[in-house]
Amino acid sequence: ASAWTKLNRGNKDPEVFQTVSDGLKKLYKTKLLPLEESYKFHEFHSPALEDADFDNKPMVLLVGQYSTGKTSFIRYLLEQDFPGMRIGPEPTTDSFIAVMHGDTEGVIPGNALVVDPKKPFRKLNAFGNAFLNRFVCAQLPNPVLESISVIDTPGILSGEKQRISRGYDFAAVLEWFAERVDRIILLFDAHKLDISDEFSEVIKALKNHEDKIRVVLNKADQIETQQLMRVYGALMWSLGKIVNTPEVIRVYIGSFWSHPLLIPDNRKLFEAEEQDLFKDIQSLPRNAALRKLNDLIKRARLAKVHAYIISALKKEMPSVFGKENKKKELIASLGDIYKRIEREHQISPGDFPNLKKMQDQLQAQDLNKFQPLKPKLLEAVDDMLANDIAGLMVLVRQEETQRPNPVVKGGAFDGTLDGPFGHGYGEGAGEGIDEAEWVVARDKPAYDEIFYTLSPVNGKVTGANAKKEMVKSKLPNTVLGKIWKLADIDKDGMLDDEEFALANHLIKVKLEGHELPSELPAHLVPPSKRKIPE
């Protein structure tokens, strides 16, 4: 059991954890939960975490306006229909659908879902029946779902009407999911890009989880290149106003469904973007433990600030008379209380909960029942942040190295891995991969003519002479250096006529805009230099 970690702390018993998720569960229950319970954290911010929250598979949350292709996107990844799915131009998915792995196909209704201790949804019962009637789990045996689960959300309409008619707090439900998922994918439709008010609200509700957000600009094959550039620019601009992160959110451009491309001009771009997005999703299982650790730290920091706020309010309350007036006064001056706590405890302003929301929530509370400051509870959380988390970080790394690389497999993820439709197959450096003849031989006569003007000695040109010719390509030295390394197969610092032709072929590959391989692929090795099989 090399994954046991012991953290010695003077006279305290060391914490011993078998796995990261065990460690997180134990730390949460023993150190953070008591603080949360004491200061009513669950009533204000987020329900208590359960074991299933620490054990479940990585989840991907899809959010977008109606008909941006969320359900088609899931179908595209799984390469099969899932129970309960409906696709159409009008707002078809008006439910939250958790698409998960199961041995048999079927749909589990929301009311049954929230009582299943193995599923991470028990705390959703707080959102009431209006929500539970619109929440189902679609189970099916699909290889993709063996390593991730996907949550499809109702399409967001433009306009005020449906905000009122939903019957439950849509943004709050999304926030609940955002806190627990590993990736949030915002889908936009390239040929009708308007961000409705509700969508802006929703994106704002995802604040504090910007690191999980990726954006997909879908249906990009339906508009011309020039238009696509404009739409992309407009999208980045709108997002910049709503999401304030220091780094730009990654946007993937493509057409994520299995129909022919309407305008195939940008096929190459879409293929590259899709590969990048797939890599991003495939890395989720590997980073799941780290994500859970990260979210626990975020939660602990919010719980600490919350404790300071609640105990500060309690301290100001009179014990006998004038409670109501004092309560009004305190709620009105909450901003000043924030500033005081910020100074006293050196807390950054970004760690505080939303002021207006907090003021609204306090209206319904009896401030006299709040708890005063309990240093012991806060010390336990500080200790967890300062010591235990560091020990778990080590364990995260150990678990990563011991596990075989878990990536998402199956469905669309397998479609482009091997064979002629793999990324870049038969193009650039891959050109001529399945031809019997050496592909460089086609242009070798032209390269030979140049070769003989460079005064070869014993059939080889020196590095200095080859350089004079190679720099005419105007490629930077770093690139030419790489080409030299690939082409000088016998590493003698000179090039013979085959190596020289190969160098020129690689220059052509690069000038045509393809990437260079890190090692020379077998089909590019000149026939005379290939090792004869023993």
Side-chain angles (χ1 to χ4, degrees):
S2 63
W4 286 66
T5 90
K6 290 190 169 54
L7 299 163
N8 292 308
R9 292 254 183 82
N11 55 4
K12 286 195 208 170
D13 287 340
E15 296 284 357
V16 181
F17 305 126
Q18 185 72 58
T19 64
V20 173
S21 81
D22 268 358
L24 289 170
K25 269 184 235 173
K26 199 163 163 197
L27 284 180
Y28 176 68
K29 282 186 185 134
T30 56
K31 300 197 167 170
L32 183 54
L33 189 58
L35 179 79
E36 291 183 357
E37 283 172 339
S38 193
Y39 297 103
K40 300 189 170 196
F41 181 83
H42 307 141
E43 289 180 36
F44 282 88
H45 298 295
S46 147
L49 297 177
E50 307 227 332
D51 284 359
D53 286 315
F54 296 104
D55 296 333
N56 68 30
K57 290 173 188 157
M59 295 195 284
V60 177
L61 178 69
L62 291 181
V63 183
Q65 298 185 167
Y66 72 98
S67 93
T68 45
K70 291 190 294 295
T71 310
S72 303
F73 181 79
I74 300 178
R75 206 205 157 287
Y76 181 73
L77 290 184
L78 303 183
E79 290 185 344
Q80 77 176 95
D81 290 346
F82 54 89
M85 73 176 246
R86 300 208 301 286
I87 293 178
E90 78 283 6
T92 40
T93 308
D94 63 345
S95 317
F96 282 80
I97 303 179
V99 186
M100 303 180 93
H101 190 272
D103 298 330
T104 52
E105 266 197 38
V107 171
I108 306 170
N111 290 300
L113 266 183
V114 293
V115 291
D116 181 349
K118 287 207 167 55
K119 296 256 192 313
F121 303 127
R122 283 173 42 145
K123 288 292 195 275
L124 279 167
N125 60 6
F127 293 105
N129 270 336
F131 167 69
L132 293 180
N133 295 337
R134 300 230 169 280
F135 178 43
V136 296
C137 172
Q139 285 194 314
L140 64 159
N142 180 293
V144 174
L145 299 173
E146 280 171 20
S147 33
I148 57 171
S149 305
V150 188
I151 314 250
D152 194 5
T153 59
I156 294 166
L157 300 167
S158 35
E160 192 61 19
K161 178 182 115 301
Q162 117 243 24
R163 266 239 280 284
I164 299 150
S165 63
R166 279 198 202 273
Y168 60 92
D169 189 342
F170 181 62
V173 174
L174 274 180
E175 210 170 327
W176 186 93
F177 275 112
E179 204 176 309
R180 287 162 179 77
V181 299
D182 296 69
R183 188 59 82 238
I184 300 165
I185 296 182
L186 300 180
L187 271 108
F188 291 90
D189 180 331
H191 75 292
K192 49 171 198 286
L193 184 68
D194 52 329
I195 301 182
S196 69
D197 298 345
E198 194 185 13
F199 201 13
S200 301
E201 290 304 304
V202 161
I203 298 174
K204 286 189 180 123
L206 305 176
K207 189 179 168 327
N208 298 335
H209 302 289
E210 282 96 352
D211 52 329
K212 299 179 179 178
I213 298 180
R214 301 288 183 275
V215 173
V216 168
L217 186 55
N218 201 8
K219 307 191 183 179
D221 63 316
Q222 302 185 7
I223 53 179
E224 302 281 346
T225 308
Q226 190 179 6
Q227 189 64 20
L228 182 58
M229 300 295 283
R230 290 197 185 125
V231 169
Y232 179 75
L235 175 61
M236 295 305 271
W237 189 79
S238 317
L239 282 175
K241 286 198 308 189
I242 307 171
V243 183
N244 43 352
T245 48
E247 67 279 354
V248 178
I249 282 190
R250 174 72 165 94
V251 175
Y252 300 91
I253 304 172
S255 179
F256 293 90
W257 61 347
S258 37
H259 296 257
L261 299 175
L262 278 179
I263 301 171
D265 306 358
N266 298 315
R267 182 186 201 109
K268 277 237 174 54
L269 169 72
F270 299 161
E271 279 170 12
E273 293 278 288
E274 180 180 287
Q275 288 297 322
D276 286 356
L277 178 63
F278 283 1
K279 276 197 196 101
D280 184 72
I281 296 175
Q282 283 177 305
S283 72
L284 293 177
R286 207 174 55 237
N287 304 327
L290 201 53
R291 193 276 302 170
K292 288 176 181 143
L293 191 67
N294 219 351
D295 282 352
L296 190 68
I297 296 171
K298 269 190 211 165
R299 190 178 173 103
R301 288 170 55 172
L302 181 59
K304 268 178 62 180
V305 173
H306 180 71
Y308 287 133
I309 295 170
I310 295 294
S311 55
L313 291 169
K314 165 74 178 172
K315 198 170 154 192
E316 300 286 328
M317 284 301 282
S319 50
V320 197
F321 301 111
K323 292 178 182 174
E324 269 312 300
N325 288 340
K326 187 64 181 171
K327 174 176 166 178
K328 283 194 185 109
E329 185 192 315
L330 284 174
I331 292 178
S333 64
L334 189 62
D336 299 334
I337 295 174
Y338 274 19
K339 286 205 173 60
R340 201 172 68 228
I341 294 171
E342 204 181 299
R343 276 198 310 278
E344 267 175 47
H345 303 283
Q346 275 88 50
I347 295 169
S348 81
D351 283 354
F352 284 81
N354 178 303
L355 185 63
K356 168 116 183 52
K357 192 172 160 196
M358 191 74 179
Q359 286 169 323
D360 292 347
Q361 286 172 318
L362 285 168
Q363 303 289 353
Q365 295 278 349
D366 179 353
L367 272 55
N368 274 68
K369 293 215 170 83
F370 284 174
Q371 296 286 347
L373 197 61
K374 298 181 177 165
K376 264 212 158 60
L377 290 177
L378 282 154
E379 276 164 25
V381 174
D382 282 334
D383 181 48
M384 171 182 108
L385 290 170
N387 302 311
D388 300 314
I389 296 284
L392 276 179
M393 281 300 284
V394 177
L395 194 51
V396 168
R397 294 279 166 261
Q398 276 176 356
E399 274 188 12
E400 273 177 9
T401 50
Q402 284 165 359
R403 253 198 244 122
N405 192 2
V407 285
V408 182
K409 289 190 179 68
F413 296 100
D414 292 355
T416 57
L417 284 183
D418 308 307
F421 291 93
H423 190 46
Y425 186 94
E427 302 166 3
E431 189 190 351
I433 188 163
D434 29 27
E435 290 172 25
E437 197 194 349
W438 187 40
V439 63
V440 184
R442 289 185 216 157
D443 301 317
K444 190 165 179 290
Y447 299 145
D448 281 352
E449 281 179 27
I450 305 170
F451 179 77
Y452 289 111
T453 63
L454 300 176
S455 40
V457 180
N458 299 337
K460 296 191 170 194
V461 296
T462 62
N465 285 352
K467 178 180 175 181
K468 281 181 200 143
E469 181 56 37
M470 286 167 73
V471 295
K472 289 183 186 166
S473 67
K474 296 196 173 62
L475 285 171
N477 279 0
T478 46
V479 175
L480 291 173
K482 188 171 181 183
I483 289 174
W484 177 273
K485 273 204 189 95
L486 293 170
D488 182 12
I489 292 164
D490 50 20
K491 304 277 176 267
D492 62 354
M494 303 170 90
L495 300 182
D496 63 18
D497 60 325
E498 286 182 330
E499 291 172 330
F500 182 75
L502 175 59
N504 278 287
H505 179 76
L506 292 170
I507 286 173
K508 183 182 97 174
V509 164
K510 188 65 191 164
L511 289 176
E512 284 171 358
H514 299 286
E515 286 308 309
L516 290 170
S518 45
E519 278 162 25
L520 196 65
H523 69 277
L524 285 183
V525 179
S528 65
K529 302 239 180 348
R530 289 179 194 174
K531 292 193 174 63
I532 293 113
E534 310 289 305

